[in-house]
Amino acid sequence: VIKDRAIPHVDDGLKPVQRRILHALFELDDGKFHKVANVVGHTMKYHPHGDASIYSALIVLANKDLFIDKQGNFGNIFTGDMASAARYIECRMSLLATEVLFDPNITEYVDSYDSRNKEPTILPAKAPVLLAQGAEGIAVGMSTRILPHNLIELLEGQIAYMKDEVFELLPDFPTGGMADVSEYADGRGKVVIRARMDLSDAKRILITEIPYGTTTELLIASIEDAARKQKVKISTIHDYTAEKVEIEIKLPRGVYGEEVVDALYAFTDCEVSLSCNPVVIDGDKPRLMSVSEILQHNVDRLVDILKSELQFEQHQLKKKLHAKT
C-alpha cells in the first residue's frame, strides 16, 4: 500500500490508479468524449480492484482540470457535491496530457496483473505534474500531503533552475482565499489559509472564497456550531453558491461586520492550517523531499526524456538511411 497505492511517484507525480486511468484514456483516445463507465471498465484491465475506487480517483483527477476534459456533472469542489453516476458523465484526455504525458517509444512497459496487457511503469511526464496537482495519501506508518501549485509559476521555476537562478515556490489553491506562507519552509512546514470576505455592507458579511480543503457545507456547519456555542454572533446564514462561492451571513441588531470577522477566523473553518509532508516514491523507496528538490528532479528528468526522444529519432533515421543505401 505504500508503493502501489497511496504515495505518488516523484517522476510522473502519479499514484498507480491515476497512471492506469490516464493510460486507459490514452489507449481509448480518438478526440471524442468517452462515457466514464467505459473508461473505468477499460482501466480495470490494469487495476485489479473495484470499479468504485477507480471512479472516485477519476473524479478527483478530472477536477484538477489539467489532464482530463470533462462533460457533465463532475461534482463541485466548492460545495462538496458528488458527481453524477459514471454512466451519465463523459471525459477524454486533454490536449495538454497528450503533449506532455505520453510517448510510447520511450516508455518502459510491464505486464499487467494478469499478464494479458502491458502497462507503463512510469509515464515520461514533461511537466511538473506532482506539484501542479498536489497529492494526499495515507499509507502504513507514513502519509503524504503536497499542496497544489500554479503550473505557470512551476515552469518559470524550472527555467530559473536551468539558468542557475534563485527561485521560490509557493502553493496556489483552486478554491482561492488568502494564504500566509511564512512557515511554508519549502513545502515541509505549514500554510494558514483564510476565507476571503466582503465587508462593504456593515450589516452582512459575504464570503466569496473559501480555504482549500473545506467546502461551503463544512464551513457553514462550523459557523453554526460556533454560533450555538455563543462564540460568534450571527442572525442568519444563507448559501447561494453556484459557479462562484457566495455565503451570506446576516448580523443581529447592534452587531457590525468588523466585530464578527476576527471571531469567524478564530472559531470557525474560515481559517485553516494545512501542514505539508512531501513524501514521494523515489526509485523504489519512499523519501521525504522538499518542493524545490522535487522541481529540480523534474527538470533533470525532463532533460533525460528529451535526450531519449532525440536518440529514438536518430535511431529511426539511421534505419531509414540504411534501408535507402
Side-chain angles (χ1 to χ4, degrees):
V1 295
I2 293 173
K3 277 178 56 184
D4 295 333
R5 187 187 305 181
I7 312 283
H9 200 289
V10 67
D11 286 351
D12 61 3
L14 300 169
K15 300 178 184 183
V17 65
Q18 297 173 323
R19 192 177 298 116
R20 285 163 176 162
I21 288 167
L22 288 168
H23 176 59
L25 273 171
F26 179 67
E27 286 195 323
L28 291 169
D29 189 45
D30 55 1
K32 299 193 185 80
F33 280 96
H34 301 277
K35 203 156 267 192
V36 166
N38 274 346
V39 178
V40 169
H42 198 83
T43 310
M44 285 177 78
K45 293 202 298 195
Y46 309 106
H47 195 65
H49 303 284
D51 55 331
S53 60
I54 299 172
Y55 163 70
S56 49
L58 193 149
I59 297 298
V60 170
L61 196 58
N63 280 326
K64 310 266 192 205
D65 278 332
L66 279 173
F67 301 125
I68 298 180
D69 290 336
K70 50 196 192 191
Q71 189 167 284
N73 169 25
F74 274 74
N76 187 326
I77 57 170
F78 300 124
T79 60
D81 289 345
M82 295 290 292
S84 295
R87 58 186 179 276
Y88 299 124
I89 53 180
E90 302 179 329
C91 68
R92 68 176 175 203
M93 179 149 280
S94 71
L95 283 172
L96 175 70
T98 45
E99 284 288 312
V100 303
L101 284 187
F102 294 96
D103 186 345
N105 301 323
I106 59 168
T107 308
E108 186 190 338
Y109 289 91
V110 293
D111 281 349
S112 63
Y113 70 97
D114 61 0
S115 64
R116 282 196 178 92
N117 303 285
K118 296 274 186 206
E119 61 171 327
T121 48
I122 283 158
L123 298 178
K126 295 188 186 130
V129 178
L130 182 57
L131 299 179
Q133 289 194 144
E136 273 183 60
I138 301 168
V140 178
M142 64 183 68
S143 69
T144 184
R145 182 178 228 166
I146 299 164
L147 299 180
H149 294 69
N150 185 308
L151 186 58
I152 295 165
E153 287 173 17
L154 289 172
L155 299 179
E156 285 166 355
Q158 288 190 320
I159 293 167
Y161 169 61
M162 285 182 175
K163 291 181 174 172
D164 289 329
E165 293 168 7
V166 180
F167 65 92
E168 184 184 24
L169 295 178
L170 297 172
D172 186 11
F173 304 105
T175 49
M178 301 174 288
D180 169 10
V181 290
S182 55
E183 295 178 48
Y184 188 51
D186 204 8
R188 290 182 181 176
K190 63 171 189 173
V191 178
V192 178
I193 311 170
R194 282 184 164 185
R196 200 179 286 276
M197 299 185 188
D198 177 4
L199 299 171
S200 51
D201 182 346
K203 289 306 294 169
R204 66 170 199 163
I205 295 173
L206 209 58
I207 298 176
T208 54
E209 292 176 8
I210 58 173
Y212 181 70
T214 67
T215 61
T216 54
E217 221 166 280
L218 293 170
L219 191 67
I220 289 168
S222 77
I223 294 171
E224 286 171 342
D225 190 44
R228 267 198 300 279
K229 292 177 180 162
Q230 312 276 302
K231 306 263 195 201
V232 185
K233 291 190 178 73
I234 64 166
S235 158
T236 56
I237 184 164
H238 293 289
D239 187 4
Y240 300 117
T241 303
E243 282 289 295
K244 293 193 168 67
V245 173
E246 192 178 329
I247 300 171
E248 182 188 61
I249 302 172
K250 290 242 172 81
L251 302 175
R253 197 170 288 171
V255 177
Y256 295 95
E258 267 75 22
E259 307 159 25
V260 181
V261 168
D262 287 344
L264 283 174
Y265 285 139
F267 300 116
T268 73
D269 284 353
C270 289
E271 175 180 302
V272 296
S273 171
L274 296 180
S275 49
C276 320
N277 186 34
V279 175
V280 295
I281 303 290
D282 181 14
D284 56 357
K285 293 187 187 70
R287 177 177 162 207
L288 181 68
M289 296 173 85
S290 71
V291 165
S292 47
E293 278 171 4
I294 292 173
L295 193 77
Q296 289 167 3
H297 179 92
N298 286 154
V299 174
D300 299 339
R301 183 167 150 73
L302 173 61
V303 174
D304 292 341
I305 288 170
L306 295 175
K307 262 187 198 157
S308 308
E309 284 188 347
L310 290 170
Q311 278 163 353
F312 178 77
E313 200 179 329
Q314 185 186 34
H315 177 64
Q316 295 299 96
L317 290 169
K318 276 184 175 162
K319 266 166 63 173
K320 221 178 207 172
L321 183 71
H322 183 72
K324 287 187 173 174
T325 53

PDB file of all heavy atoms in Angstrom, residues 198-206 233-238 247-261 264:
ATOM      1  N   ASP A 198     -16.260  39.842   2.032  1.00  0.00           N
ATOM      2  CA  ASP A 198     -16.637  41.160   1.526  1.00  0.00           C
ATOM      3  C   ASP A 198     -17.423  41.866   2.632  1.00  0.00           C
ATOM      4  O   ASP A 198     -18.492  41.406   3.032  1.00  0.00           O
ATOM      5  CB  ASP A 198     -17.493  40.972   0.272  1.00  0.00           C
ATOM      6  CG  ASP A 198     -17.999  42.299  -0.274  1.00  0.00           C
ATOM      7  OD1 ASP A 198     -17.630  43.349   0.271  1.00  0.00           O
ATOM      8  OD2 ASP A 198     -18.768  42.270  -1.265  1.00  0.00           O
ATOM      9  N   LEU A 199     -16.865  42.978   3.125  1.00  0.00           N
ATOM     10  CA  LEU A 199     -17.499  43.686   4.252  1.00  0.00           C
ATOM     11  C   LEU A 199     -18.063  45.036   3.825  1.00  0.00           C
ATOM     12  O   LEU A 199     -18.220  45.942   4.651  1.00  0.00           O
ATOM     13  CB  LEU A 199     -16.466  43.905   5.376  1.00  0.00           C
ATOM     14  CG  LEU A 199     -15.851  42.637   5.978  1.00  0.00           C
ATOM     15  CD1 LEU A 199     -14.701  42.981   6.892  1.00  0.00           C
ATOM     16  CD2 LEU A 199     -16.890  41.833   6.723  1.00  0.00           C
ATOM     17  N   SER A 200     -18.370  45.183   2.518  1.00  0.00           N
ATOM     18  CA  SER A 200     -18.813  46.501   2.033  1.00  0.00           C
ATOM     19  C   SER A 200     -20.134  46.935   2.688  1.00  0.00           C
ATOM     20  O   SER A 200     -20.404  48.115   2.823  1.00  0.00           O
ATOM     21  CB  SER A 200     -18.938  46.489   0.509  1.00  0.00           C
ATOM     22  OG  SER A 200     -19.719  45.390   0.114  1.00  0.00           O
ATOM     23  N   ASP A 201     -20.953  45.955   3.063  1.00  0.00           N
ATOM     24  CA  ASP A 201     -22.216  46.258   3.759  1.00  0.00           C
ATOM     25  C   ASP A 201     -22.014  45.948   5.245  1.00  0.00           C
ATOM     26  O   ASP A 201     -21.690  44.823   5.607  1.00  0.00           O
ATOM     27  CB  ASP A 201     -23.334  45.389   3.163  1.00  0.00           C
ATOM     28  CG  ASP A 201     -24.687  45.681   3.807  1.00  0.00           C
ATOM     29  OD1 ASP A 201     -24.713  46.339   4.858  1.00  0.00           O
ATOM     30  OD2 ASP A 201     -25.713  45.233   3.239  1.00  0.00           O
ATOM     31  N   ALA A 202     -22.221  46.959   6.108  1.00  0.00           N
ATOM     32  CA  ALA A 202     -21.923  46.804   7.541  1.00  0.00           C
ATOM     33  C   ALA A 202     -22.808  45.759   8.226  1.00  0.00           C
ATOM     34  O   ALA A 202     -22.434  45.195   9.248  1.00  0.00           O
ATOM     35  CB  ALA A 202     -22.072  48.143   8.257  1.00  0.00           C
ATOM     36  N   LYS A 203     -23.993  45.501   7.650  1.00  0.00           N
ATOM     37  CA  LYS A 203     -24.929  44.599   8.327  1.00  0.00           C
ATOM     38  C   LYS A 203     -24.869  43.156   7.831  1.00  0.00           C
ATOM     39  O   LYS A 203     -25.645  42.307   8.258  1.00  0.00           O
ATOM     40  CB  LYS A 203     -26.371  45.118   8.164  1.00  0.00           C
ATOM     41  CG  LYS A 203     -26.681  46.369   8.948  1.00  0.00           C
ATOM     42  CD  LYS A 203     -26.366  46.239  10.434  1.00  0.00           C
ATOM     43  CE  LYS A 203     -27.262  45.221  11.124  1.00  0.00           C
ATOM     44  NZ  LYS A 203     -26.765  44.927  12.493  1.00  0.00           N
ATOM     45  N   ARG A 204     -23.967  42.886   6.890  1.00  0.00           N
ATOM     46  CA  ARG A 204     -23.844  41.497   6.449  1.00  0.00           C
ATOM     47  C   ARG A 204     -22.413  41.220   6.015  1.00  0.00           C
ATOM     48  O   ARG A 204     -21.665  42.116   5.655  1.00  0.00           O
ATOM     49  CB  ARG A 204     -24.817  41.177   5.320  1.00  0.00           C
ATOM     50  CG  ARG A 204     -24.530  41.931   4.057  1.00  0.00           C
ATOM     51  CD  ARG A 204     -25.344  41.442   2.885  1.00  0.00           C
ATOM     52  NE  ARG A 204     -24.703  41.892   1.633  1.00  0.00           N
ATOM     53  CZ  ARG A 204     -24.958  41.380   0.455  1.00  0.00           C
ATOM     54  NH1 ARG A 204     -25.799  40.393   0.343  1.00  0.00           N
ATOM     55  NH2 ARG A 204     -24.359  41.839  -0.625  1.00  0.00           N
ATOM     56  N   ILE A 205     -22.037  39.947   6.099  1.00  0.00           N
ATOM     57  CA  ILE A 205     -20.706  39.510   5.641  1.00  0.00           C
ATOM     58  C   ILE A 205     -20.931  38.547   4.475  1.00  0.00           C
ATOM     59  O   ILE A 205     -21.772  37.641   4.568  1.00  0.00           O
ATOM     60  CB  ILE A 205     -19.942  38.799   6.774  1.00  0.00           C
ATOM     61  CG1 ILE A 205     -19.655  39.780   7.910  1.00  0.00           C
ATOM     62  CG2 ILE A 205     -18.643  38.189   6.264  1.00  0.00           C
ATOM     63  CD1 ILE A 205     -19.050  39.127   9.137  1.00  0.00           C
ATOM     64  N   LEU A 206     -20.198  38.762   3.388  1.00  0.00           N
ATOM     65  CA  LEU A 206     -20.296  37.890   2.228  1.00  0.00           C
ATOM     66  C   LEU A 206     -18.984  37.138   2.084  1.00  0.00           C
ATOM     67  O   LEU A 206     -17.934  37.751   1.918  1.00  0.00           O
ATOM     68  CB  LEU A 206     -20.561  38.743   0.976  1.00  0.00           C
ATOM     69  CG  LEU A 206     -21.335  38.093  -0.160  1.00  0.00           C
ATOM     70  CD1 LEU A 206     -22.695  37.618   0.321  1.00  0.00           C
ATOM     71  CD2 LEU A 206     -21.491  39.080  -1.314  1.00  0.00           C
ATOM     72  N   LYS A 233     -21.566  35.974  16.921  1.00  0.00           N
ATOM     73  CA  LYS A 233     -22.946  36.473  16.903  1.00  0.00           C
ATOM     74  C   LYS A 233     -23.407  36.613  15.451  1.00  0.00           C
ATOM     75  O   LYS A 233     -22.911  37.472  14.719  1.00  0.00           O
ATOM     76  CB  LYS A 233     -23.018  37.844  17.595  1.00  0.00           C
ATOM     77  CG  LYS A 233     -22.782  37.803  19.095  1.00  0.00           C
ATOM     78  CD  LYS A 233     -23.111  39.164  19.712  1.00  0.00           C
ATOM     79  CE  LYS A 233     -22.946  39.155  21.220  1.00  0.00           C
ATOM     80  NZ  LYS A 233     -21.530  39.128  21.639  1.00  0.00           N
ATOM     81  N   ILE A 234     -24.349  35.748  15.043  1.00  0.00           N
ATOM     82  CA  ILE A 234     -24.926  35.898  13.704  1.00  0.00           C
ATOM     83  C   ILE A 234     -26.431  35.773  13.802  1.00  0.00           C
ATOM     84  O   ILE A 234     -26.963  35.194  14.751  1.00  0.00           O
ATOM     85  CB  ILE A 234     -24.386  34.848  12.707  1.00  0.00           C
ATOM     86  CG1 ILE A 234     -24.787  33.429  13.124  1.00  0.00           C
ATOM     87  CG2 ILE A 234     -22.888  34.946  12.540  1.00  0.00           C
ATOM     88  CD1 ILE A 234     -24.585  32.392  12.043  1.00  0.00           C
ATOM     89  N   SER A 235     -27.127  36.335  12.788  1.00  0.00           N
ATOM     90  CA  SER A 235     -28.585  36.249  12.778  1.00  0.00           C
ATOM     91  C   SER A 235     -29.017  35.091  11.878  1.00  0.00           C
ATOM     92  O   SER A 235     -29.606  34.130  12.340  1.00  0.00           O
ATOM     93  CB  SER A 235     -29.152  37.588  12.300  1.00  0.00           C
ATOM     94  OG  SER A 235     -30.447  37.426  11.812  1.00  0.00           O
ATOM     95  N   THR A 236     -28.686  35.166  10.562  1.00  0.00           N
ATOM     96  CA  THR A 236     -29.000  34.052   9.654  1.00  0.00           C
ATOM     97  C   THR A 236     -27.810  33.810   8.729  1.00  0.00           C
ATOM     98  O   THR A 236     -26.958  34.683   8.563  1.00  0.00           O
ATOM     99  CB  THR A 236     -30.234  34.361   8.767  1.00  0.00           C
ATOM    100  OG1 THR A 236     -29.968  35.574   8.058  1.00  0.00           O
ATOM    101  CG2 THR A 236     -31.490  34.493   9.598  1.00  0.00           C
ATOM    102  N   ILE A 237     -27.799  32.636   8.114  1.00  0.00           N
ATOM    103  CA  ILE A 237     -26.723  32.313   7.163  1.00  0.00           C
ATOM    104  C   ILE A 237     -27.350  31.614   5.960  1.00  0.00           C
ATOM    105  O   ILE A 237     -28.160  30.709   6.110  1.00  0.00           O
ATOM    106  CB  ILE A 237     -25.636  31.463   7.856  1.00  0.00           C
ATOM    107  CG1 ILE A 237     -24.465  31.198   6.920  1.00  0.00           C
ATOM    108  CG2 ILE A 237     -26.174  30.160   8.368  1.00  0.00           C
ATOM    109  CD1 ILE A 237     -23.227  30.714   7.657  1.00  0.00           C
ATOM    110  N   HIS A 238     -26.993  32.095   4.748  1.00  0.00           N
ATOM    111  CA  HIS A 238     -27.557  31.512   3.518  1.00  0.00           C
ATOM    112  C   HIS A 238     -26.427  31.155   2.562  1.00  0.00           C
ATOM    113  O   HIS A 238     -25.439  31.879   2.461  1.00  0.00           O
ATOM    114  CB  HIS A 238     -28.497  32.513   2.823  1.00  0.00           C
ATOM    115  CG  HIS A 238     -29.730  32.798   3.616  1.00  0.00           C
ATOM    116  ND1 HIS A 238     -30.745  31.882   3.780  1.00  0.00           N
ATOM    117  CD2 HIS A 238     -30.119  33.906   4.298  1.00  0.00           C
ATOM    118  CE1 HIS A 238     -31.700  32.407   4.532  1.00  0.00           C
ATOM    119  NE2 HIS A 238     -31.345  33.636   4.862  1.00  0.00           N
ATOM    120  N   ILE A 247     -21.538  32.915   0.309  1.00  0.00           N
ATOM    121  CA  ILE A 247     -22.224  32.606   1.572  1.00  0.00           C
ATOM    122  C   ILE A 247     -22.536  33.934   2.249  1.00  0.00           C
ATOM    123  O   ILE A 247     -21.638  34.738   2.491  1.00  0.00           O
ATOM    124  CB  ILE A 247     -21.334  31.745   2.494  1.00  0.00           C
ATOM    125  CG1 ILE A 247     -20.975  30.430   1.809  1.00  0.00           C
ATOM    126  CG2 ILE A 247     -22.041  31.471   3.820  1.00  0.00           C
ATOM    127  CD1 ILE A 247     -19.934  29.614   2.543  1.00  0.00           C
ATOM    128  N   GLU A 248     -23.820  34.162   2.520  1.00  0.00           N
ATOM    129  CA  GLU A 248     -24.226  35.439   3.124  1.00  0.00           C
ATOM    130  C   GLU A 248     -24.533  35.229   4.604  1.00  0.00           C
ATOM    131  O   GLU A 248     -25.342  34.375   4.967  1.00  0.00           O
ATOM    132  CB  GLU A 248     -25.462  35.975   2.397  1.00  0.00           C
ATOM    133  CG  GLU A 248     -25.925  37.322   2.924  1.00  0.00           C
ATOM    134  CD  GLU A 248     -27.267  37.743   2.335  1.00  0.00           C
ATOM    135  OE1 GLU A 248     -28.260  37.022   2.544  1.00  0.00           O
ATOM    136  OE2 GLU A 248     -27.306  38.786   1.679  1.00  0.00           O
ATOM    137  N   ILE A 249     -23.848  36.021   5.450  1.00  0.00           N
ATOM    138  CA  ILE A 249     -24.112  35.964   6.895  1.00  0.00           C
ATOM    139  C   ILE A 249     -24.763  37.282   7.298  1.00  0.00           C
ATOM    140  O   ILE A 249     -24.159  38.349   7.157  1.00  0.00           O
ATOM    141  CB  ILE A 249     -22.800  35.775   7.686  1.00  0.00           C
ATOM    142  CG1 ILE A 249     -22.083  34.500   7.234  1.00  0.00           C
ATOM    143  CG2 ILE A 249     -23.067  35.743   9.191  1.00  0.00           C
ATOM    144  CD1 ILE A 249     -20.694  34.326   7.819  1.00  0.00           C
ATOM    145  N   LYS A 250     -26.019  37.216   7.760  1.00  0.00           N
ATOM    146  CA  LYS A 250     -26.700  38.424   8.239  1.00  0.00           C
ATOM    147  C   LYS A 250     -26.399  38.570   9.728  1.00  0.00           C
ATOM    148  O   LYS A 250     -26.335  37.592  10.472  1.00  0.00           O
ATOM    149  CB  LYS A 250     -28.204  38.310   8.011  1.00  0.00           C
ATOM    150  CG  LYS A 250     -28.611  38.373   6.542  1.00  0.00           C
ATOM    151  CD  LYS A 250     -29.513  39.574   6.282  1.00  0.00           C
ATOM    152  CE  LYS A 250     -29.775  39.786   4.791  1.00  0.00           C
ATOM    153  NZ  LYS A 250     -30.824  38.914   4.276  1.00  0.00           N
ATOM    154  N   LEU A 251     -26.217  39.817  10.160  1.00  0.00           N
ATOM    155  CA  LEU A 251     -25.817  40.062  11.554  1.00  0.00           C
ATOM    156  C   LEU A 251     -26.996  40.569  12.373  1.00  0.00           C
ATOM    157  O   LEU A 251     -27.880  41.253  11.843  1.00  0.00           O
ATOM    158  CB  LEU A 251     -24.678  41.090  11.580  1.00  0.00           C
ATOM    159  CG  LEU A 251     -23.444  40.669  10.775  1.00  0.00           C
ATOM    160  CD1 LEU A 251     -22.410  41.778  10.749  1.00  0.00           C
ATOM    161  CD2 LEU A 251     -22.830  39.405  11.337  1.00  0.00           C
ATOM    162  N   PRO A 252     -27.026  40.241  13.684  1.00  0.00           N
ATOM    163  CA  PRO A 252     -28.127  40.723  14.525  1.00  0.00           C
ATOM    164  C   PRO A 252     -28.018  42.235  14.759  1.00  0.00           C
ATOM    165  O   PRO A 252     -26.995  42.849  14.452  1.00  0.00           O
ATOM    166  CB  PRO A 252     -27.944  39.946  15.835  1.00  0.00           C
ATOM    167  CG  PRO A 252     -26.539  39.476  15.834  1.00  0.00           C
ATOM    168  CD  PRO A 252     -26.097  39.373  14.411  1.00  0.00           C
ATOM    169  N   ARG A 253     -29.067  42.813  15.336  1.00  0.00           N
ATOM    170  CA  ARG A 253     -29.105  44.258  15.582  1.00  0.00           C
ATOM    171  C   ARG A 253     -27.957  44.672  16.508  1.00  0.00           C
ATOM    172  O   ARG A 253     -27.669  43.978  17.485  1.00  0.00           O
ATOM    173  CB  ARG A 253     -30.445  44.610  16.225  1.00  0.00           C
ATOM    174  CG  ARG A 253     -30.797  46.075  16.160  1.00  0.00           C
ATOM    175  CD  ARG A 253     -32.222  46.321  16.597  1.00  0.00           C
ATOM    176  NE  ARG A 253     -33.195  45.838  15.606  1.00  0.00           N
ATOM    177  CZ  ARG A 253     -34.495  45.782  15.831  1.00  0.00           C
ATOM    178  NH1 ARG A 253     -34.980  46.134  17.010  1.00  0.00           N
ATOM    179  NH2 ARG A 253     -35.319  45.354  14.898  1.00  0.00           N
ATOM    180  N   GLY A 254     -27.307  45.775  16.173  1.00  0.00           N
ATOM    181  CA  GLY A 254     -26.250  46.308  17.044  1.00  0.00           C
ATOM    182  C   GLY A 254     -24.902  45.621  16.889  1.00  0.00           C
ATOM    183  O   GLY A 254     -23.956  45.916  17.603  1.00  0.00           O
ATOM    184  N   VAL A 255     -24.814  44.653  15.957  1.00  0.00           N
ATOM    185  CA  VAL A 255     -23.527  43.981  15.717  1.00  0.00           C
ATOM    186  C   VAL A 255     -23.077  44.331  14.307  1.00  0.00           C
ATOM    187  O   VAL A 255     -23.880  44.322  13.382  1.00  0.00           O
ATOM    188  CB  VAL A 255     -23.686  42.445  15.845  1.00  0.00           C
ATOM    189  CG1 VAL A 255     -22.374  41.736  15.529  1.00  0.00           C
ATOM    190  CG2 VAL A 255     -24.167  42.084  17.243  1.00  0.00           C
ATOM    191  N   TYR A 256     -21.779  44.660  14.170  1.00  0.00           N
ATOM    192  CA  TYR A 256     -21.288  45.070  12.849  1.00  0.00           C
ATOM    193  C   TYR A 256     -20.171  44.141  12.353  1.00  0.00           C
ATOM    194  O   TYR A 256     -19.496  43.491  13.146  1.00  0.00           O
ATOM    195  CB  TYR A 256     -20.816  46.536  12.895  1.00  0.00           C
ATOM    196  CG  TYR A 256     -21.964  47.467  13.173  1.00  0.00           C
ATOM    197  CD1 TYR A 256     -22.249  47.901  14.465  1.00  0.00           C
ATOM    198  CD2 TYR A 256     -22.819  47.850  12.131  1.00  0.00           C
ATOM    199  CE1 TYR A 256     -23.342  48.719  14.718  1.00  0.00           C
ATOM    200  CE2 TYR A 256     -23.912  48.657  12.376  1.00  0.00           C
ATOM    201  CZ  TYR A 256     -24.174  49.099  13.668  1.00  0.00           C
ATOM    202  OH  TYR A 256     -25.262  49.890  13.910  1.00  0.00           O
ATOM    203  N   GLY A 257     -20.014  44.109  11.012  1.00  0.00           N
ATOM    204  CA  GLY A 257     -19.098  43.186  10.350  1.00  0.00           C
ATOM    205  C   GLY A 257     -17.715  43.102  10.960  1.00  0.00           C
ATOM    206  O   GLY A 257     -17.199  42.014  11.227  1.00  0.00           O
ATOM    207  N   GLU A 258     -17.095  44.283  11.200  1.00  0.00           N
ATOM    208  CA  GLU A 258     -15.711  44.318  11.707  1.00  0.00           C
ATOM    209  C   GLU A 258     -15.556  43.522  13.014  1.00  0.00           C
ATOM    210  O   GLU A 258     -14.539  42.888  13.245  1.00  0.00           O
ATOM    211  CB  GLU A 258     -15.246  45.756  11.943  1.00  0.00           C
ATOM    212  CG  GLU A 258     -14.509  46.381  10.775  1.00  0.00           C
ATOM    213  CD  GLU A 258     -15.439  46.787   9.634  1.00  0.00           C
ATOM    214  OE1 GLU A 258     -16.635  46.971   9.903  1.00  0.00           O
ATOM    215  OE2 GLU A 258     -14.961  46.894   8.492  1.00  0.00           O
ATOM    216  N   GLU A 259     -16.609  43.577  13.862  1.00  0.00           N
ATOM    217  CA  GLU A 259     -16.509  42.906  15.168  1.00  0.00           C
ATOM    218  C   GLU A 259     -16.557  41.379  15.010  1.00  0.00           C
ATOM    219  O   GLU A 259     -15.992  40.648  15.825  1.00  0.00           O
ATOM    220  CB  GLU A 259     -17.667  43.352  16.085  1.00  0.00           C
ATOM    221  CG  GLU A 259     -17.810  44.856  16.224  1.00  0.00           C
ATOM    222  CD  GLU A 259     -19.217  45.250  16.699  1.00  0.00           C
ATOM    223  OE1 GLU A 259     -19.880  44.421  17.345  1.00  0.00           O
ATOM    224  OE2 GLU A 259     -19.636  46.388  16.405  1.00  0.00           O
ATOM    225  N   VAL A 260     -17.267  40.907  13.976  1.00  0.00           N
ATOM    226  CA  VAL A 260     -17.517  39.468  13.852  1.00  0.00           C
ATOM    227  C   VAL A 260     -16.377  38.743  13.128  1.00  0.00           C
ATOM    228  O   VAL A 260     -16.107  37.570  13.387  1.00  0.00           O
ATOM    229  CB  VAL A 260     -18.857  39.224  13.103  1.00  0.00           C
ATOM    230  CG1 VAL A 260     -19.162  37.735  12.990  1.00  0.00           C
ATOM    231  CG2 VAL A 260     -19.984  39.945  13.817  1.00  0.00           C
ATOM    232  N   VAL A 261     -15.675  39.480  12.233  1.00  0.00           N
ATOM    233  CA  VAL A 261     -14.674  38.840  11.369  1.00  0.00           C
ATOM    234  C   VAL A 261     -13.613  38.098  12.173  1.00  0.00           C
ATOM    235  O   VAL A 261     -13.306  36.931  11.894  1.00  0.00           O
ATOM    236  CB  VAL A 261     -14.019  39.893  10.456  1.00  0.00           C
ATOM    237  CG1 VAL A 261     -12.801  39.304   9.772  1.00  0.00           C
ATOM    238  CG2 VAL A 261     -15.006  40.341   9.401  1.00  0.00           C
ATOM    239  N   LEU A 264     -14.881  34.908  13.506  1.00  0.00           N
ATOM    240  CA  LEU A 264     -15.041  33.899  12.450  1.00  0.00           C
ATOM    241  C   LEU A 264     -13.706  33.223  12.152  1.00  0.00           C
ATOM    242  O   LEU A 264     -13.630  32.010  12.012  1.00  0.00           O
ATOM    243  CB  LEU A 264     -15.599  34.538  11.173  1.00  0.00           C
ATOM    244  CG  LEU A 264     -17.100  34.851  11.159  1.00  0.00           C
ATOM    245  CD1 LEU A 264     -17.467  35.619   9.897  1.00  0.00           C
ATOM    246  CD2 LEU A 264     -17.936  33.582  11.259  1.00  0.00           C
TER     247      LEU A 264
END
